[in-house]
């Protein structure tokens, strides 16, 4: 069950002693088992499955945990290890486990959606809303985004068949079922060939199926010549079914060109899984395999654009794809594997000890500003700029305290930083007419830019808003909520609701949010990014003590993340 959150940090923040909270020792044991899942401490998932099952059986009748989100997440892990997930959900219903928590319905609906069971997903959203599951506003937003995703499938002819299925079920079903289905059928929206009509104006939806399909067809003669592109009209022919990897991937060998032996799962989402693999069983030749169904060649195209457009000095900050194996049923993207975790992992590591990142570590902001400055100058938008997609790079040697090396990013600082990956939502602006505006929703909760929230056209704002959310996560350990305030000139400005700690460099952070959340479309935003980056670099280099502290914290962070 790939879409259910299994973040161990979320289960390791209890505020009671074991005597007051009998679930606490179980949470700690499960947390430890999850951390060791892909290491030598745990050769397979049997120990974890048994631990989770015993925890469920111990507390399933305990009323204290009926509405405990921590216990709900244990149920998700239990469901993950079960072949009959619907039976597990029915048992949760019977025992009324967190039936008033939005997380239950969001997670289960996403799972059904990933399986293509859209009617079931729609029913789950409807059920949660009818029960006023909290936070209700978030659940309603999730349902709206789900309906928008369904509306997009109008582009595919198959959706007309799905719509007939909806109507057929409506005709055959009970009155209650009719009510549910009626609320699930999205209207036929005016979307054709990736262009959405709104208020008489036309804006391109860069992520619609038809837009990507048309662009790839136009670029096909160029794509087939790219190094590492291996298309096939056949289904994946290997002996090990790729679908079996979702349940258990350890030590399985899949054949793509040579033989890439999979060693555990590095990360996964609703529609793709990323695996760590040894090429030809060579532990010194480690790659990441992104396996996706249906096949998705767009990301490979974007990686090749990065190869051609990003300056050599900055190329390490954007990830590398070695090759793509494109079958009729799956695509397998082979890329570099970075073993140090993501920026999200670094943020979560502070959650475990009950706090957020120290302000000096939030200087990762410099690297993110540099990444967007370089990327946008190459006429590329990432479109999914979030901490999960920023891998951490550590230099082989410890960073120095040399101010010039920090400013110029030379010496060990050249290899110290972030690497932006996952280009499935990447937008190549060179493929669109100049001054094109986009209409489309990234559908990622917490990362929908202001323009998306207000149904307005956007371009680079999607990436800059993502940067603001990440900075907010580092500073406050919470997603950014914004407020709209009237300004003296009669316009409005947007700003985060959260307050700043007195000992922070408040002006620095305030300026960052004020500039990026309220950027003037007529302004050269690349110069703005450069100006902000230079102001952060100036602050960092203004005091040798800050550099020394940053160096110490990075060494400590590397030790922590690499040992997890």
């Amino acid at each position: 069950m790939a879409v259910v959150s299994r973040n161990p940090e979320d289960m390791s923040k209890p505020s009671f002693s074991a005597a007051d909270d009998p679930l606490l020792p179980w949470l700690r044991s499960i947390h430890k088992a999850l951390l060791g899942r892909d290491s030598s401490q745990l050769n397979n998932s049997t120990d974890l499955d048994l631990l989770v099952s015993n925890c469920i059986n111990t507390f399933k009748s305990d009323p204290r945990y009926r509405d405990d989100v921590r216990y709900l997440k244990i149920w998700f892990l239990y469901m993950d290890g079960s072949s009959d997930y619907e039976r597990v959900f029915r048992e949760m219903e019977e025992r009324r486990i967190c039936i008033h928590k939005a997380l239950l319905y969001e997670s289960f609906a996403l799972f059904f959606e990933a399986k293509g069971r859209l009617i079931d997903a729609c029913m789950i959203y409807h059920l949660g809303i009818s029960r006023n599951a909290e936070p209700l506003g978030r659940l309603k937003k999730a349902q709206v985004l789900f309906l928008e995703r369904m509306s997009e499938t109008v582009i595919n002819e198959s959706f007309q068949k799905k719509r007939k299925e909806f109507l057929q079920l409506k005709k055959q079903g009970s009155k209650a079922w009719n009510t549910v289905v009626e609320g699930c059928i999205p209207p036929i929206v005016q979307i054709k060939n990736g262009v959405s009509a709104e208020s008489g104006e036309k804006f391109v939806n860069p992520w619609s199926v038809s837009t990507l399909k048309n662009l790839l067809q136009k670029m096909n003669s160029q794509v087939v010549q790219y190094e590492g592109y291996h298309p096939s009209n056949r289904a994946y022919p290997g002996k090990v079914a790729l679908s079996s990897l979702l349940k258990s991937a350890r030590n399985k060998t899949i054949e793509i060109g040579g033989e890439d032996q999979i060693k555990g799962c590095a990360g996964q989402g609703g529609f793709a899984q990323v695996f760590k693999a040894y090429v030809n069983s060579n532990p010194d030749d480690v790659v990441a395999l992104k396996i996706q169904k249906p096949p998705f060649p767009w990301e490979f195209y974007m990686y090749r654009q990065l190869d051609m457009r990003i300056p050599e000095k900055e190329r390490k900050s954007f990830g590398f794809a070695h090759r793509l194996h494109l079958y009729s049923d799956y695509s397998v993207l082979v890329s570099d594997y970075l073993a140090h975790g993501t920026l999200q992992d670094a943020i979560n590591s502070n959650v475990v000890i009950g706090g957020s990142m120290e302000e000096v570590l939030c200087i990762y902001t410099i690297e993110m500003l540099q990444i967007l400055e370089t990327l946008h100058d190459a006429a590329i938008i990432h479109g999914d700029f979030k901490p999960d997609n920023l891998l951490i790079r550590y230099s082989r040697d410890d960073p120095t305290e040399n101010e010039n090396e920090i400013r110029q990013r030379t010496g060990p600082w050249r290899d110290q930083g972030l690497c932006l990956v996952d280009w499935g939502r990447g937008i190549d602006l060179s493929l669109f007419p100049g001054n094109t505006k986009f209409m489309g929703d990234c559908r990622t909760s917490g990362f929908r830019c202001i323009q998306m929230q207000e149904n307005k056209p956007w371009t680079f704002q999607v990436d800059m808003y993502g940067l603001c959310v990440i900075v907010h996560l580092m500073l406050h350990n919470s997603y950014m909520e914004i407020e709209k305030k009237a300004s003296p000139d009669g316009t409005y400005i947007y700003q985060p609701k959260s307050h700043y700690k007195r000992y922070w460099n408040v002006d620095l952070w305030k300026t960052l949010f004020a500039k990026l959340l309220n950027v003037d479309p007529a302004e050269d935003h690349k110069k703005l990014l450069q100006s902000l980056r230079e102001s952060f670099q100036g602050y960092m280099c203004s005091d040798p003590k800050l550099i020394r502290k940053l160096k110490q914290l990075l060494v400590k962070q590397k030790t922590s993340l690499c040992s997890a």
Side-chain angles (χ1 to χ4, degrees), residues 152 205-209 211-212 383 425-427 440-442 452 458 462:
E152 275 193 14
N205 180 351
W207 299 318
S208 71
V209 175
T211 297
L212 293 176
R425 287 193 171 275
I427 302 171
D441 200 310
C442 68
M452 290 178 186
W458 52 267
V462 62

Side-chain angles (χ1 to χ4, degrees), residues 389-407:
N389 292 333
L390 286 161
L391 302 179
I392 296 181
R393 295 184 295 118
Y394 291 110
S395 59
R396 186 180 300 273
D397 301 319
D398 288 345
T400 66
E401 297 178 19
N402 187 300
E403 175 187 333
N404 289 328
E405 288 188 354
I406 293 178
R407 284 187 183 274

Side-chain angles (χ1 to χ4, degrees), residues 269-408:
F271 303 97
Q273 293 81 45
V274 181
F275 299 91
K276 175 183 177 181
Y278 295 159
V279 179
N280 298 324
S281 300
N282 180 3
D284 295 323
D285 192 357
V286 186
V287 296
L289 301 181
K290 186 171 185 177
I291 300 175
Q292 196 156 353
K293 182 178 183 178
F296 191 63
W298 180 256
E299 187 169 7
F300 178 76
Y301 167 81
M302 291 302 302
Y303 270 114
R304 287 297 174 260
Q305 298 310 304
L306 295 171
D307 291 339
M308 292 184 279
R309 299 191 208 177
I310 301 298
E312 180 63 28
K313 181 182 177 182
E314 306 296 336
R315 189 63 187 87
K316 288 186 177 182
S317 298
F318 296 92
F320 293 89
H322 301 290
R323 59 189 191 275
L324 174 74
H325 296 268
L326 190 67
Y327 304 101
S328 63
D329 52 349
Y330 285 92
S331 61
V332 182
L333 182 70
V334 184
S335 57
D336 277 359
Y337 178 78
L338 298 183
H340 301 141
T342 67
L343 187 55
Q344 185 67 63
D345 295 326
I347 294 170
N348 288 342
S349 67
N350 292 277
V351 176
V352 175
I353 59 177
S356 53
M357 275 191 178
E358 292 200 41
E359 185 189 20
V360 70
L361 261 185
C362 297
I363 219 66
Y364 274 123
T365 304
I366 295 175
E367 180 79 2
M368 291 189 289
L369 289 166
Q370 178 72 64
I371 285 174
L372 291 190
E373 185 185 336
T374 303
L375 185 66
H376 293 177
D377 193 51
I380 294 175
I381 297 172
H382 184 265
D384 198 16
F385 200 78
K386 57 185 183 180
D388 311 70
N389 292 333
L390 286 161
L391 302 179
I392 296 181
R393 295 184 295 118
Y394 291 110
S395 59
R396 186 180 300 273
D397 301 319
D398 288 345
T400 66
E401 297 178 19
N402 187 300
E403 175 187 333
N404 289 328
E405 288 188 354
I406 293 178
R407 284 187 183 274
Q408 302 299 323

